[in-house]
């Protein structure tokens, strides 16, 4: 039996005449089946409408196969469920995040300005799906389902950049990140750099590159993020291999805000950074 995420929210089915508890994933499957049956569709009829086989529909409804974003989006359309399945999926994806990461996600969603420094990886909010999957797959303790769940959750985070009034995102990255392009990674990294350029040209996004010529600098001590809320207050997060717990401790904030100024001053301007990224794409071997 597939185990639910450790921090998953559980729903009791006792009021419905049963005694089994459900995770949100179980709820999605049961709602998918309920909506299909209510619409008077067999698994085969429904499958044809969403371009899946009847056996696949059955496997998804019973939990033998995982559902995916595409199937649920089509199901919401076909079953005119007003986005119910998609909304439940977003809840399930959020549950897929480690519990210690949820407070930072809340700060990120409410922020009016985000400052992110990354010396080793492209920032999560600016990653392509392929790059995100490659990075997450580096953790060989994760199953394929867990990898896909985390990829979906990471892409869902990026929705804040597409909302009508997005936060201002200022990202500073070390140039060394852009040179990780061995044979297996070459095409993927090319797409990622093109995506960085596209993001950097948005009015609400600034990308700044710390060139290799800078050498050693304080930012190499590790990545960190800063979020400023509507009230002007700051929250910070420092990532490690095990945690990224946010803090609003005044001393910690003062230190990280000072370090931000240092790494930002070492970085190229916005236009210089875009020019460097374009140069890298054009000279791609």
């Amino acid at each position: 039996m597939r185990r639910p995420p450790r921090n998953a929210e559980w729903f009791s089915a006792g009021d419905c005449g049963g005694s089994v508890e459900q995770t949100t994933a179980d709820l999605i499957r049961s709602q998918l089946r309920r909506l299909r049956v209510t619409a008077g569709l067999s698994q085969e009829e429904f499958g044809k409408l969403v371009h899946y086989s009847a056996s696949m529909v059955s496997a998804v409804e019973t939990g033998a196969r995982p559902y995916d974003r595409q199937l649920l989006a089509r199901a919401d359309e076909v079953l005119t469920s007003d986005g119910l399945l998609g909304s439940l999926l977003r809840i399930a994806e959020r549950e897929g995040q480690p519990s210690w990461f949820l407070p930072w996600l809340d700060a990120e969603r409410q922020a009016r300005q985000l400052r992110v420094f990354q010396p080793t990886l492209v920032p999560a909010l600016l990653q392509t799906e392929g790059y995100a999957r490659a990075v997450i797959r580096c953790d060989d303790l994760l199953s394929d389902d867990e990898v896909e769940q985390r990829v979906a959750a990471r892409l869902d985070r990026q929705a804040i950049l597409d909302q009508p009034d997005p936060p201002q995102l200022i990202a500073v990255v070390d140039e060394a990140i852009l040179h990780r392009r061995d044979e297996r990674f070459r095409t993927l990294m090319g797409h990622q750099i093109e995506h960085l350029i596209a993001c950097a040209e948005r009015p609400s996004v600034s990308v700044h590159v710390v060139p290799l010529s800078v050498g050693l600098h304080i930012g190499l001590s590790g990545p960190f993020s800063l979020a400023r809320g509507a009230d002007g207050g700051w929250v910070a997060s420092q990532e490690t291999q095990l945690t990224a717990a946010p803090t609003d401790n005044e001393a910690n904030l003062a230190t990280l805000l000072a370090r931000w100024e240092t790494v930002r001053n070492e970085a190229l301007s916005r236009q210089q950074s875009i020019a460097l990224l374009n140069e890298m794409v054009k000279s791609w071997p």
Side-chain angles (χ1 to χ4, degrees), residues 40 58 93 131 249 263:
S58 175
E93 288 170 347
Y131 184 95
N249 176 275
V263 296

Side-chain angles (χ1 to χ4, degrees), residues 72-259:
L72 297 184
R74 287 176 176 168
D76 269 332
E77 268 186 72
V78 168
L79 302 172
T80 59
S81 53
D82 198 27
L84 171 64
L85 298 172
S87 297
L88 290 173
L89 176 61
R90 285 189 288 276
I91 294 172
E93 288 170 347
R94 179 167 174 174
E95 290 172 354
Q97 297 283 3
S99 58
W100 46 259
F101 195 58
L102 295 180
W104 173 251
L105 286 183
D106 286 334
E108 191 176 77
R109 289 190 181 101
Q110 297 170 22
R112 299 312 308 137
Q113 185 186 86
L114 290 162
R115 299 179 180 181
V116 180
F117 172 70
Q118 261 289 356
T120 54
L121 295 169
V122 172
L125 291 175
L126 300 176
Q127 291 179 5
T128 63
E129 180 176 348
Y131 184 95
R133 183 173 289 107
V135 169
I136 293 169
R137 279 196 187 281
C138 289
D139 186 347
D140 55 13
L141 297 178
L142 297 176
S143 68
D144 287 347
D145 282 352
E146 288 170 325
V147 168
E148 292 307 312
Q149 187 179 47
R150 293 197 181 190
V151 170
R154 183 159 300 180
L155 296 178
D156 190 52
R157 284 173 63 190
Q158 298 175 4
I160 63 171
L161 301 180
D162 297 318
Q163 60 192 24
D165 184 23
Q168 179 189 31
L169 171 63
I170 308 170
V172 176
V173 300
D174 199 278
E175 185 183 346
I177 293 171
L178 310 176
H179 293 280
R180 294 187 181 277
R181 48 182 181 177
D182 63 24
E183 288 302 321
R184 296 172 300 119
F185 208 46
R186 189 182 300 273
T187 301
L188 186 152
M189 196 63 205
H191 293 159
Q192 176 60 71
I193 293 177
E194 291 172 347
H195 181 66
L196 271 180
I197 295 170
C199 290
E201 291 174 342
R202 294 186 181 195
S204 60
V205 179
S206 297
V207 176
H208 302 272
V209 180
V210 178
L212 290 174
S213 59
V214 170
L216 294 177
H217 57 87
I218 189 62
L220 296 178
S221 299
F224 61 90
S225 301
L226 293 152
R228 180 171 59 80
D231 62 355
W234 289 93
V235 176
S237 174
Q238 280 187 285
E239 297 179 29
T240 71
Q241 290 279 343
L242 298 176
T243 186
T247 177
D248 58 2
N249 176 275
E250 288 188 14
N252 292 341
L253 286 174
T255 297
L256 290 177
L257 284 166
R259 292 190 177 185

